[in-house]
Amino acid sequence: MNQIGGSAQLTGLTVQARDVFGGVHHHVPAAAPLPLPRQLPPVVRHFTDRDEDRRILDNARASGACLFVISGIGGVGKTALATWWLSQQDHAGGQFYADLSGPLEPVAPTVVLRRWLRAVGIDRPPADLAELIGLWRSATAARTVAVLIDGADDCARVRPLIPAGTVSSTVVTSRSALRDLAVDGAVLHPLKPLPLPAAVQLLTRMAGDHPIASAPETAARLAEACHRLPLPLVLAGARLSARPQHSADAAVNALTSSYSPAPANPEEPIRMLTTAALDATYQTLEAEHQGIYRALGLLPVTDADPDMIAAACQTSRGHAEWALEALDEQQLLEPLSQHGSRVRYRLLPAAREHAQALALRHDPEQDRLLVLRRLCEWILDTSTHAQFALTPAQATLRRSTADPEPAVPPPFDSDVGALAWLESFEASLLDVLGAAETAGWDELVWRLVDSFWPLFLRRHPYELWIAAHEIGLGAARRTSNAAAVRQMLLSGAIGLNAAGRVKDAIRWYGEASDAARDAGDLRDEGQALLGLGACHHDAGMPEQARPYLTRAIALWRSCGYPRGVALATIVLGEIALAEAPGHALGLFTEARVELLEVDDPYDAARALTLQGHARVLTGDTETGIREMTTGLAALADAGGTRWQARALEWLGDAHRSKGDGAAAREYYQQAEQLYEVIRPADAERIRALAAGL
C-alpha cells in the first residue's frame, strides 16, 4: 500500500502510486539564492586624493541626501570618485551599476532596469517602462543599495533608475550639471582638477622608476601641462614608466605643442591634451596591439573580451588576452566585473573616440568592414550555439550545411552561461544590427535576430524584441527570402502580442498567414493562424478566435505536425472553460496525450494543469487538485513563472471551493509572490482574493 494522508507537506516533484487524501499542500521549491549584486567597477589602482570632494559628499549624505550628481569635463575622474565613495559605504542590499553611454546611442532605461531586476531575482521583468519603474522601486523599498549611473546625458534617462527610500545612495556622473535633478533632491557637485600636490603625486606614482620622481619642479610643470586632470596624468605617467630613458621635459613639450593656447571652445585644450596623451601612449604599443586598439574603436558593442577580439581581429585567444591586458596596463581600458574565468573590458570613452579616429585615418575601408563582419559572424555563430542549446525546437531556420563550423567553441559550457552570454548583448544588439544593416549585410541581419530568440523568449525584453524584429523583417524582405520574412513576422508577432500591442500582432500574423498560404507552407500558415486565434482570445473575442484555431488544427493534421495540433487544442480548451468545462477537459486531455507522444514535457505539464482546473470546475475537486499539483511540480522544475502562478491561483480556487480557507490563502500567497515579479496587476487581484477569505 502507498498512501499519503494527514497534513503531509509535499515539496518538489512527488510521485504517488495510489491514494492521496487529507490536508495535502504543495510548496514550490525555493530557488537557489542569488549572489548579492556587486556591480560597481573596481576602484582604480591610481585613485588619488579627492579629500575635499569626499568630505562634501559625506556631509551631504549625513544630512539625509541620497541622490548626487558629479559633473565635470572628460578625464577629470568622475567615475573614479563615485566608485571609491560608494564602495566605502555599507550597502547591505547590493551595488548596481549602469553605463548609459552606449557605443552608438545612449542605453535605454528599460534595458538597465531589466538587468537590475534580474539581479535581484525577478526572472521576467515586465515590458512597460512604468511597470519596470514601479517594480524597481518596490524591490528597493526595503533595501539599502548603492547605485552608480555613469555617463548620463539627460535627466529623463536618470529618473527611472533612482531607487526608492532614503537609505540608499545614488550617484550620477555626467559632463553636464543635470541641474533639473535638483528638483528630485539631488546634490550637484562639480568636480574640479586635482590640486597640484595630488596631481604630482599621481603622476610620479604612475611613472614608477622614471627619474621624474626626483625632479619635483619638472613633475609640477608636467602636471600643469596635463591641466591636473587624472586621465592625462595617468597616460603621461604610464608613458614615462614604459620609456624611462625619455626626459620629462620632452613629455611636457609633446603635450603642449599640439594645441592653441586660446581656442574658441574652453574645453578644446583638454580634448587636444587628452588626444596628445593618447597619441603618445599609442606609439608605445606593439604593432599588433595598435591594430587591436583601433579595432576596439570600430566595434558597436559596450565591452569586449578575449573571445570577441580573437574573432574580430583574426588572432588567437591568447594573443587577444595578452593585448587586452597590455591596453589595460596602459590605462586605455577599464576591467569590468569578471564573468566566471572571463574578464571583460570597456574602452574609455575618450579612448574610443581616439581609436576610431585612428582607424578611420590608417585602416582602409575594406579592412574596417572586415573587422565588423568578423564580429557579426562571431556573434551569429555563438548565438546560434546558444539557440540550439536553449530553444532547439524554435531553431527552425538553421544555418545551411554549407556554412563553415565555428573556428572556436562557444564561450560558455552550460545553459545558464548561454543565456548570460546572450544577455550581455542586450544593450548593444540594436547597434550591432544597425551597423550590419548599414553595411548592407541583410542576410546576416535577419539571422542575428533569429538567433537571439532564447533571449526574447526567456527574458521578455519587449522593446528590444520588437525593434530587432522590425529591423530583421526589413532585412529579410530585401533579401527576397520568403521563409525568413515569415520567420520574422511570426516571432515578431509573438513579442507584439505579449507586449500588449494586439492590433499590430494581428497585422503581422495576418501578413505571415497570407505569405505562407501563397508559398504553400502549411506549417507556417498554421503557426500564423494559431497566433491569430491566441490574439483574439487574449483580447476577449473567443468567437473570432475559434475559426483560426480550428483551421490551424486542420492544416497541421494534414501535414503531420501533432505538436502544433496540441498547442491549438489547448487554446480551444481555454476558450471552452467558461461555458463548457467538461468539453474543455476532453480537449486538455487530448492535447496532453499528443504532447507526451512528441516529447514536449513542458507543454504537457501546462495541459495537465489546465486539465486539473477543468476537472475542478466539473465538480471532481480532489482529482483536479492532484492533477494540478503534479502539473505545478513539473512547471516549477522548468521555471515557467507565469504558469506556476496560474496553477497556484487555480489550486487556491479549488481549496476555496471545498471550504479550506487556510489552504486557499496559502496558495494565493504563493501565486501573489510570483505574479508580483511578472504581472503586478494580477498580484493585486490575488491579494484581494486572499483578503476575502
Side-chain angles (χ1 to χ4, degrees), residues 387 394 397 445-454 487-488:
Q387 185 182 33
Q394 282 74 29
L397 283 181
V445 168
W446 74 257
R447 287 186 182 276
L448 278 167
V449 175
D450 183 59
S451 67
F452 270 79
W453 175 253
Q487 182 80 347
M488 292 295 98

Side-chain angles (χ1 to χ4, degrees), residues 107-129:
V107 178
T110 51
V111 173
V112 176
L113 288 174
R114 281 195 292 265
R115 186 167 65 236
W116 286 353
L117 288 168
R118 288 198 295 265
V120 298
I122 298 175
D123 187 55
R124 294 189 177 186
D128 182 70
L129 177 59

Side-chain angles (χ1 to χ4, degrees), residues 323-546:
L324 291 172
E325 289 175 356
L327 295 176
D328 177 26
E329 289 176 0
Q330 292 297 323
Q331 311 301 317
L332 298 171
L333 298 178
E334 288 181 328
L336 302 175
S337 57
Q338 191 163 315
H339 293 261
S341 61
R342 303 177 187 275
V343 181
R344 303 178 74 88
Y345 297 89
R346 181 183 65 168
L347 199 62
L348 294 170
R352 175 179 292 281
E353 296 174 8
H354 180 255
Q356 185 180 56
L358 286 174
L360 292 172
R361 189 185 315 154
H362 295 296
D363 298 326
E365 181 181 9
Q366 181 178 356
D367 291 351
R368 299 197 304 269
L369 285 174
L370 189 57
V371 168
L372 178 61
R373 178 79 188 195
R374 288 194 293 249
L375 169 74
C376 292
E377 290 182 343
W378 173 77
I379 294 174
L380 177 59
D381 284 337
T382 311
S383 56
T384 300
H385 276 294
Q387 185 182 33
F388 287 150
L390 296 169
T391 56
Q394 282 74 29
T396 54
L397 283 181
R398 304 183 181 189
R399 304 189 69 190
S400 70
T401 55
D403 288 338
E405 289 294 319
V408 294
F412 45 77
D413 55 10
S414 67
D415 288 359
V416 172
L419 188 56
W421 185 91
L422 293 172
E423 288 173 354
S424 72
F425 283 90
E426 188 171 346
S428 54
L429 179 59
L430 291 181
D431 289 329
V432 171
L433 295 174
E437 184 180 40
T438 300
W441 303 327
D442 289 325
E443 183 77 11
L444 188 57
V445 168
W446 74 257
R447 287 186 182 276
L448 278 167
V449 175
D450 183 59
S451 67
F452 270 79
W453 175 253
L455 176 69
F456 304 139
L457 181 68
R458 297 203 177 191
R459 293 308 189 206
H460 290 189
Y462 295 123
E463 185 178 282
L464 175 62
W465 185 341
I466 294 166
H469 278 81
E470 288 172 341
I471 295 172
L473 178 59
R477 282 175 169 155
R478 287 190 295 272
T479 64
S480 300
N481 186 329
V485 169
R486 297 195 300 273
Q487 182 80 347
M488 292 295 98
L489 285 168
L490 290 169
S491 52
I494 296 172
L496 287 165
N497 188 39
R501 293 174 53 180
V502 178
K503 289 183 179 179
D504 290 328
I506 289 174
R507 178 168 54 82
W508 281 46
Y509 276 130
E511 290 184 35
S513 176
D514 293 342
R517 190 182 310 110
D518 292 342
D521 190 321
L522 299 183
R523 184 158 168 169
D524 273 3
E525 186 180 356
Q527 188 67 49
L529 292 169
L530 171 61
L532 286 166
C535 283
H536 285 85
H537 170 51
D538 292 342
M541 297 182 286
E543 293 307 317
Q544 291 92 327
R546 284 194 183 95

